[in-house]
Amino acid sequence: MTELAPDALEVLDRLDALRAADAPTHGGRVLSYVYDSGRPDLDELAARAARAVQPVNGLDPTTFGSVAVMERELVGFAREAFHGGDDVVGSVTSGGTESCILAVKTARDAWRARGGEGTPRLVAPGTVHAAFRKGAHLLGLELDIVPVDPATGGPEASAMIDRLGPDVALVVVSAPSYPFATLDPVVEVADAALAQGVDLHVDACIGGFALAFWPTEVAPWDFRVPGVTSLSADLHKYGYSPKGASVLLQRGRDRQRNQYFATTEWSGYPVVNPTLLGSKPAGPLAGAWAIVQVLGTGGFTELVGKTARATAALVDAVTAIEGLRVVGEPTGPLLAVATDEDAPAERRVDPHRWADAVRARGWQLQLQPAHRQADGTVLPRTTHLTVTPVTESTLDGLLPDLAAAADDVRGEPGLDGTALLDGLGGAAALGALAGGVDSDTAAGLLGGLGLLAADGPAVPESLAPVLALVEVLPAPLSERLLVELLGRLVEPV
Ligand SMILES: *Cc1c(COP(=O)(O)O)cnc(C)c1O
């Protein structure tokens, strides 16, 4: 190994210190964002594989043949796991968002190639991942959002099917959805989409590599369903690989070629990009590839078994906590927790106060805001838990802490964001600002909310007030404020 000079070692020491202040990525203390297999050997394997290809440019698999071989083998593994035939082809992308955006691009261009003109629609349930809102925004599709049933957290198949038509370029369903872990009615919607010649994407970004190896029966959601034209599944979630890897599979070579961008009309090298990036790292690809090679079907089945057992234990434990309930019937390794409205008011537990109390005991859960849908129904405020293989080994500590945290806050009503706004002139005054807030005005509002200090953004101890504000502010204003917060976070001081 090359020796590093003292100044280089100092830089690395500083990085170690910075990392020590991060949320822990391993050990199961953070139940979102990170996917710990509980196997340090897999992390080491991925790190070595990534290092081996560090200087490679994934832009050109004809110059760097290793990239083509790894991608081909990963796509092959995914195609088998998701029951695709010879007509299913695919790509490795940088993550779920890129897979989703490319699914939208493919469908839009396939729709245009079929003669579609004007603005195409993208039909999806309200619980569809934000990546599809981003894709529709970037690629000029009109989003047509179908409200979900607040009781189950999922859409009615008939409500989805009613929206189909010749101007629909893509309908999206989730397997399962991120907010409530609902398995959308894939078979019913895909049958109708197929009959009408509409493309259908299954977003299995979070659940795909878990559901494919799930120990109990799951209704068909992958390429076994004839109307499914594309499917995304993230390797950097339940493929346990370092961030930067997802697969997008598409049915039909001719359809899939719409995913590519190619040009020979400049004086540089001919450009052929299956994904959004040009020059791109091969490290995440190599890490994911190495893990999949080592795990194989047997390894995945074993890790998913642990995850499924831990999820079942968590569902039972939360259900047993007075004042809380699990939303709907979660499918796969995640769940959302809401207040049990059947309990008397003084015995109810607000899920965000609960999450803050759980956090005080050393575990980080993810807060999700209440949301009013276009049909007037309101989806409840919830707390999200993503379960990973390592969770099983933490249950002895986690389950009692979840129950004790509920005892800490039982009977305390949830925060009402409207009250928090009073100091800023109230919701109406703020709402009037929604259109045009400049950077300094936004910073002033953030300062008034205690989220921005003179020396930069202040990350709050408790996240409940932030989510309560998101619930009551007009979306354009809360979006603008959050953009300001994140923008200021990376400004040089
Ligand atoms: C995580 C996720 C995405 C987006 O993936 P990123 O890897 O975060 O870009 C899309 N859909 C679902 C259901 C997800 O859970």
Side-chain angles (χ1 to χ4, degrees):
M1 235 177 19
T2 312
E3 289 290 324
L4 291 181
D7 57 343
L9 292 172
E10 264 173 46
V11 171
L12 292 178
D13 285 345
R14 175 145 181 262
L15 179 57
D16 285 344
L18 292 171
R19 284 285 291 112
D22 281 342
T25 55
H26 288 79
R29 288 269 163 189
V30 178
L31 288 103
S32 62
Y33 297 128
V34 290
Y35 300 79
D36 184 0
S37 64
R39 291 208 14 204
D41 60 311
L42 295 181
D43 294 334
E44 180 60 23
L45 170 71
R48 288 203 209 172
R51 191 179 174 121
V53 298
Q54 183 166 275
V56 163
N57 191 345
L59 167 67
D60 186 354
T62 67
T63 303
F64 303 103
S66 61
V67 171
V69 173
M70 290 187 289
E71 183 160 2
R72 186 190 299 153
E73 294 185 6
L74 270 177
V75 167
F77 179 80
R79 178 163 82 176
E80 201 170 313
F82 305 136
H83 303 99
D86 289 349
D87 59 337
V88 170
V89 289
S91 308
V92 175
T93 73
S94 66
T97 298
E98 190 179 19
S99 291
C100 297
I101 291 172
L102 288 169
V104 176
K105 181 204 181 298
T106 305
R108 183 198 66 179
D109 291 353
W111 176 83
R112 283 185 185 156
R114 289 196 298 271
E117 276 173 30
T119 303
R121 262 187 306 138
L122 188 162
V123 173
T127 45
V128 77
H129 194 275
F132 288 93
R133 295 174 188 267
K134 190 176 187 176
H137 172 75
L138 292 173
L139 295 162
L141 286 84
E142 183 197 327
L143 255 189
D144 189 2
I145 291 292
V146 179
V148 300
D149 178 347
T152 63
E156 292 288 345
S158 58
M160 299 281 302
I161 293 167
D162 283 349
R163 305 280 178 108
L164 298 182
D167 63 329
V168 176
L170 185 65
V171 49
V172 183
V173 286
S174 306
S177 75
Y178 188 91
F180 305 128
T182 319
L183 182 66
D184 287 343
V186 180
V187 173
E188 293 91 325
V189 179
D191 282 354
L194 181 64
Q196 298 192 35
V198 173
D199 285 356
L200 179 133
H201 181 83
V202 174
D203 181 8
C205 276
I206 192 160
F209 284 107
L211 289 189
F213 306 98
W214 204 252
T216 55
E217 183 86 13
V218 178
W221 53 274
D222 59 13
F223 285 104
R224 279 169 295 180
V225 182
V228 171
T229 49
S230 58
L231 183 153
S232 51
D234 293 348
L235 291 157
H236 65 201
K237 288 178 181 161
Y238 289 94
Y240 317 106
S241 81
K243 290 289 181 266
S246 169
V247 282
L248 172 60
L249 298 181
Q250 308 241 27
R251 196 195 298 271
R253 282 179 189 78
D254 287 324
R255 263 195 83 259
Q256 194 249 5
R257 301 313 187 226
N258 289 292
Q259 181 188 312
Y260 282 68
F261 174 82
T263 184
T264 50
E265 293 199 272
W266 72 314
S267 30
Y269 56 91
V271 166
V272 189
N273 295 156
T275 61
L276 295 174
L277 298 181
S279 288
K280 61 181 179 184
L285 169 70
W289 171 82
I291 288 176
V292 164
Q293 295 290 311
V294 164
L295 282 182
T297 302
F300 271 91
T301 304
E302 191 186 329
L303 290 175
V304 170
K306 288 177 193 279
T307 309
R309 286 194 297 273
T311 309
L314 276 163
V315 168
D316 287 349
V318 170
T319 305
I321 296 176
E322 187 185 10
L324 289 175
R325 68 180 171 95
V326 172
V327 178
E329 286 177 29
T331 300
L334 49 156
L335 60 143
V337 180
T339 298
D340 180 5
E341 304 288 347
D342 289 341
E346 73 280 5
R347 302 301 297 166
R348 290 181 195 160
V349 176
D350 174 70
H352 289 182
R353 290 207 189 273
W354 176 62
D356 277 345
V358 171
R359 181 166 157 152
R361 291 170 183 269
W363 310 87
Q364 294 188 33
L365 313 183
Q366 194 176 52
L367 284 64
Q368 303 186 128
H371 179 70
R372 182 177 298 278
Q373 305 189 95
D375 64 358
T377 58
V378 176
L379 302 176
R381 173 186 283 189
T382 56
T383 289
H384 169 109
L385 288 80
T386 290
V387 186
T388 60
V390 81
T391 310
E392 192 179 33
S393 67
T394 69
L395 291 174
D396 286 348
L398 176 59
L399 299 186
D401 279 348
L402 295 182
D407 293 341
D408 293 345
V409 298
R410 184 169 291 108
E412 288 179 32
L415 279 180
D416 176 1
T418 327
L420 300 173
L421 294 181
D422 288 348
L424 297 171
L430 283 172
L433 289 173
V437 183
D438 65 14
S439 173
D440 287 342
T441 309
L445 291 170
L446 289 168
L449 294 166
L451 295 173
L452 192 64
D455 56 349
V459 179
E461 265 300 292
S462 160
L463 286 173
V466 178
L467 271 284
L469 280 168
V470 167
E471 288 174 351
V472 296
L473 287 175
L477 183 58
S478 59
E479 287 157 4
R480 181 65 189 82
L481 292 180
L482 291 171
V483 165
E484 196 58 36
L485 192 70
L486 275 288
R488 301 244 167 191
L489 192 60
V490 295
E491 276 189 28
V493 281

